[in-house]
Structure formats: structure tokens, C-alpha cells
């Protein structure tokens, strides 16, 4: 059984920073692409950033240059450093583990952590 537990969300002023963490249990972490997604009220869930097991990363255009995704395979943890936060970054942020092996794949999700950017 794989569990993803996010932490680090909260209330921050515009221009501030937050660092999200996602700790994964189970044995799939080092073989999974990890990602952060977010969902704002009334909107669909959207991709924020992903990182492969070999540390290749990808970002949504809206966060490029402001957010950085990283992972520590030894600690089964993925991070999202968010700088220069804007009110439009307000959302519930979800951690995702995309595990694939041959033709089999499965997505695991955390419970989400709220990020609110407001003065």
C-alpha cells in the first residue's frame, strides 16, 4: 500500500514563499515519476510540476521561474519550493506518484494541502 502525505501548506502574503513536502511510504518511490498538481475552487485540477526518477523536471508555464520541484530518493520525499507567490497560486496542492512498469501503470494521490496567497 502506497501513501503520500503532503505538508507545508498555509497562508502567505503575495511575494512570499512556501515549501511543500510529500513523504511517500512503500517501495515504489524511486521508480516513480513524482508530481505536484493543484485545484482552485471551481476549476479543474492542473499540473504544476513533475520530476522523473532521474531528476528531469517539467513545469507549467504559469510557475516557471518561480517554483522548483526536487526529490530525495533516499528519503522518499518530493518537494515543491514556491517563491514569488501570487494570489492566483491559491489552491489545494496534491502530490502524485506515477508508477509504471512495462504496460502497467498506476497513479497515487495524497490528500492535498491548502495554499492561500492573500494580503
Amino acid at each position: 500500500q502506497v501513501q503520500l502525505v503532503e505538508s507545508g501548506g498555509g497562508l502567505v502574503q503575495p511575494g512570499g514563499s512556501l515549501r511543500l513536502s510529500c513523504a511517500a511510504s512503500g517501495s515504489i518511490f524511486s521508480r516513480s515519476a513524482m508530481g505536484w498538481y493543484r485545484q482552485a475552487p471551481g476549476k479543474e485540477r492542473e499540473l504544476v510540476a513533475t520530476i522523473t526518477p532521474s531528476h528531469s523536471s517539467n513545469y507549467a508555464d504559469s510557475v516557471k521561474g518561480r517554483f522548483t520541484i526536487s526529490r530525495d530518493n533516499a528519503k522518499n520525499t518530493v518537494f515543491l519550493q514556491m517563491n514569488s507567490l501570487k494570489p492566483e497560486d491559491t489552491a489545494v496542492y496534491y502530490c502524485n506518484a506515477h508508477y509504471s512498469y512495462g504496460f502497467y501503470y498506476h497513479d497515487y494521490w495524497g490528500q492535498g494541502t491548502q495554499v492561500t496567497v492573500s494580503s
Side-chain angles (χ1 to χ4, degrees):
Q1 184 72 13
V2 175
Q3 286 188 321
L4 303 176
V5 179
E6 301 103 333
S7 61
L11 173 64
V12 63
Q13 292 187 342
S17 298
L18 281 175
R19 189 191 196 206
L20 305 183
S21 300
C22 172
S25 64
S27 60
I28 68 162
F29 183 86
S30 62
R31 298 191 297 275
S32 298
M34 300 298 297
W36 288 95
Y37 291 72
R38 67 187 181 187
Q39 187 167 17
K43 295 186 177 182
E44 294 186 352
R45 190 174 297 189
E46 64 176 2
L47 171 72
V48 176
T50 61
I51 186 167
T52 67
S54 59
H55 300 263
S56 177
S57 58
N58 181 56
Y59 297 91
D61 288 343
S62 59
V63 306
K64 281 181 181 176
R66 300 189 299 121
F67 291 10
T68 302
I69 189 170
S70 61
R71 65 190 292 163
D72 185 336
N73 288 339
K75 296 183 178 180
N76 284 8
T77 304
V78 62
F79 306 95
L80 185 68
Q81 178 66 44
M82 304 186 293
N83 299 329
S84 302
L85 282 161
K86 304 175 181 179
E88 52 263 43
D89 294 319
T90 295
V92 178
Y93 284 70
Y94 296 92
C95 179
N96 167 266
H98 180 79
Y99 173 75
S100 64
Y101 184 80
F103 293 106
Y104 172 82
Y105 72 92
H106 189 81
D107 282 291
Y108 299 89
W109 294 93
Q111 81 287 353
T113 185
Q114 177 70 46
V115 172
T116 302
V117 184
S118 176
S119 55

